[in-house]
Amino acid sequence: MANESLMVIAAIAAKEKRDVATADVAGAYLNAEMDEFVLVKFTGRALEIICEVNPSFKAGIRKEKGRDVLYLKLAKALYGCLKSALLWYRLFKGTLEKMGFKLNRYDPCVANKDIKGKQCTIGWWVDDNFISHKRPKVVDSV
């Protein structure tokens, strides 16, 4: 969401005396499925940790220039992958649309929905959300 959008929706929330909440979606990218073939290379301590977590991975360890290496296919979007932000955006936007929210035509990271006769607004920057509505229970339920 653009800074200007945040300022406008915060001003509207203040003017209309809306209840406001902020929320972070923990591990947001991990909710999105990776839609292309991406391999992750594990070496050193990261390799040791992942094999402690799942010992069956040891069977896939290979030698590369004398070092142990493990390649795993990425199943979920992961921070650091270029496509992950887009995959997360599509998932989050789609979820809001399924809930009946309509995207703002001027900022694709702001959405509105009429709930109980009043406008509910959600603005987001990656996985950080700003939610407002006149009724606190609506904010809590969104």
Side-chain angles (χ1 to χ4, degrees), residues 4-115:
E4 295 84 358
S5 298
L6 176 61
M7 295 301 124
V8 169
I9 63 176
I12 290 169
K15 172 76 173 147
E16 295 180 357
K17 295 183 174 38
R18 293 185 185 189
D19 189 63
V20 172
T22 58
D24 176 75
V25 179
Y29 284 13
L30 296 175
N31 291 294
E33 301 288 329
M34 181 54 74
D35 67 351
E36 52 189 45
F37 188 79
V38 177
L39 286 177
V40 179
K41 180 180 179 179
F42 292 90
T43 61
R45 183 67 184 134
L47 173 60
E48 292 171 14
I49 292 170
I50 200 153
C51 287
E52 286 172 17
V53 171
N54 189 339
S56 71
F57 289 152
K58 290 179 183 176
I61 295 175
R62 303 289 179 257
K63 290 285 187 191
E64 207 173 82
K65 296 182 184 176
R67 294 183 58 189
D68 286 343
V69 174
L70 175 65
Y71 290 92
L72 295 174
K73 181 180 180 271
L74 195 58
K76 299 284 188 171
L78 188 67
Y79 287 94
C81 293
L82 291 175
K83 188 127 187 221
S84 295
L86 178 60
L87 294 171
W88 166 246
Y89 173 79
R90 287 177 180 162
L91 176 64
F92 192 69
K93 175 183 83 81
T95 301
L96 290 175
E97 289 172 332
K98 285 177 187 168
M99 294 171 63
F101 282 87
K102 302 286 184 219
L103 290 184
N104 181 292
R105 65 181 147 187
Y106 301 106
D107 189 328
C109 291
V110 175
N112 295 292
K113 177 182 177 182
D114 184 61
I115 302 174

